[in-house]
């Protein structure tokens, strides 16, 4: 069972599969599994398959792999690396269930160093013209933040999760200005823990600061439930600190 939205890593390795994400535990998945789990379109799957096959073709089964395997030239390797970046961005953009894609190439890029996170998208991309959000109906909401990501997830019309900014949530969920200001400050505090020059050492300055931030989020989730006339349920996940439905308001 998957906890949505998913954080995905794209990492090619010789004689292995390139997708990593959680299904009860962090595990690697084949391209075919990712197609179904992440709801990726066929065209993108074909391009990822070609990209992975190009890397697999650099493996030399004869002799010591670290001395004989590899790209034929630095230029070929660079082109493959750049192609992977484009694919990682497309995976994020074309999947309705992904929160972020951590592009690791073939392990030469450190974890978090090339992270594609869900950002605000134009409204006409989030909703086709005939499927604008109908705020007259009840909406199930997830409050989940991440570095360079927006903290609201809900699907007012379509049967899938969409990522939303705080301002979009204010409009769709009819949130009062005071609550929006507090949510903005809460999210900004988390974003300030990200170090773009040293992602692996990003985080809160202390366990106490993190615990206080998590608890403040619980209060905000309860306030969203109390102050929104259309939010039916609020699933508070903090920054993936909690599993889905662990704190349901």
């Amino acid at each position: 069972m998957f906890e949505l939205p998913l954080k995905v890593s794209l990492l090619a390795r010789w004689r292995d599969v390139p997708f990593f994400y959680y299904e009860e535990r962090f595990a690697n998945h084949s391209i075919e599994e990712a197609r179904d789990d992440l709801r990726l379109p066929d065209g993108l799957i074909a391009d990822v398959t070609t990209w992975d096959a190009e890397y697999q073709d650099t493996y030399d089964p004869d002799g010591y792999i670290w001395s004989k395997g590899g790209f034929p030239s630095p230029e070929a390797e660079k082109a493959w690396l750049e192609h992977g970046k484009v694919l990682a961005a497309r995976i994020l953009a074309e999947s309705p269930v992904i929160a972020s894609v951590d592009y690791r190439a073939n392990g030469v890029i450190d974890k978090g160093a090339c992270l594609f996170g869900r950002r605000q998208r134009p409204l006409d991309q989030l909703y086709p013209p005939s499927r604008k959000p109908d705020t007259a109906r009840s909406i199930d909401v997830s409050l989940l933040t991440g570095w360079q990501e927006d903290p609201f997830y809900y699907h007012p019309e379509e049967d899938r999760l969409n990522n939303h900014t705080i301002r979009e949530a204010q409009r769709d969920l009819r949130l009062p200005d005071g609550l929006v200001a507090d949510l903005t400050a809460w999210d900004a505090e988390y974003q300030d823990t990200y170090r773009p020059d040293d992602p692996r050492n990003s985080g809160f300055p202390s366990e106490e600061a993190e615990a206080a931030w998590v608890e403040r989020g619980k209060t905000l989730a309860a306030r969203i439930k109390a102050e929104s006339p259309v939010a039916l349920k609020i699933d508070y996940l903090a920054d993936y600190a909690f599993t889905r439905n662990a704190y349901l308001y």
Side-chain angles (χ1 to χ4, degrees):
M1 179 176 294
F2 300 105
E3 301 294 339
L4 301 179
L6 290 167
K7 287 187 174 181
V8 175
S9 291
L10 182 63
L11 169 62
R13 301 187 297 187
W14 285 322
R15 298 188 294 182
D16 207 343
V17 292
F19 282 92
F20 291 78
Y21 48 89
Y22 278 96
E23 185 181 10
E24 297 181 350
R25 63 183 180 86
F26 197 67
N28 57 336
H29 297 266
S30 69
I31 295 173
E32 292 75 17
E33 290 172 330
R35 176 192 59 203
D36 297 334
D37 296 338
L38 308 181
R39 306 180 200 173
L40 300 176
D42 290 341
L44 177 54
I45 287 296
D47 291 343
V48 172
T49 300
T50 299
W51 174 80
D52 184 61
E54 183 179 354
Y55 183 71
Q56 300 304 324
D57 287 343
T58 67
Y59 174 66
D60 188 341
D62 299 323
Y64 185 51
I65 62 173
W66 297 111
S67 62
K68 290 195 173 184
F71 288 90
S73 68
E75 293 76 16
E77 182 175 15
K78 182 178 179 181
W80 180 84
L81 290 171
E82 291 301 316
H83 186 199
K85 287 183 183 179
V86 174
L87 291 173
R90 286 183 59 194
I91 290 166
L92 177 69
E94 297 181 36
S95 168
V97 298
I98 292 178
S100 63
V101 178
D102 190 5
Y103 176 56
R104 303 286 311 284
N106 58 341
V108 299
I109 300 176
D110 289 338
K111 185 177 180 180
C114 189
L115 187 66
F116 295 86
R118 184 73 68 189
R119 296 175 181 271
Q120 180 179 359
R121 290 179 289 170
L123 187 61
D124 60 356
Q125 292 182 21
L126 286 168
Y127 304 103
S130 62
R131 301 182 72 85
K132 300 293 184 182
D134 177 10
T135 53
R137 57 176 291 184
S138 296
I139 301 173
D140 291 344
V141 177
S142 291
L143 182 62
L144 166 66
T145 196
W147 291 317
Q148 300 178 308
E149 299 172 19
D150 296 314
F152 279 92
Y153 292 83
Y154 51 89
H155 44 87
E157 279 290 326
E158 298 173 326
D159 188 23
R160 66 174 188 174
L161 287 174
N162 275 321
N163 187 213
H164 297 271
T165 67
I166 293 174
R167 288 301 177 188
E168 288 170 342
Q170 180 179 28
R171 176 201 64 207
D172 297 339
L173 307 180
R174 307 179 195 172
L175 302 178
D177 290 342
L179 176 54
V180 167
D182 291 342
L183 283 163
T184 301
W186 174 79
D187 184 60
E189 182 179 354
Y190 185 81
Q191 300 303 327
D192 287 343
T193 67
Y194 179 63
R195 302 177 185 176
D197 56 338
D198 189 13
R200 288 179 295 176
N201 289 318
S202 296
F204 288 90
S206 67
E207 293 182 359
E208 293 77 11
E210 182 174 12
W213 177 85
V214 169
E215 289 300 313
R216 191 155 56 253
K218 290 181 183 178
T219 300
L220 291 170
R223 286 180 60 191
I224 294 168
K225 168 69 174 178
E227 299 180 38
S228 169
V230 296
L232 181 62
K233 291 185 295 186
I234 312 297
D235 191 5
Y236 176 56
L237 291 91
D239 59 343
Y240 291 96
F242 306 124
T243 59
R244 193 174 184 185
N245 295 327
Y247 284 91
L248 193 64
Y249 297 87

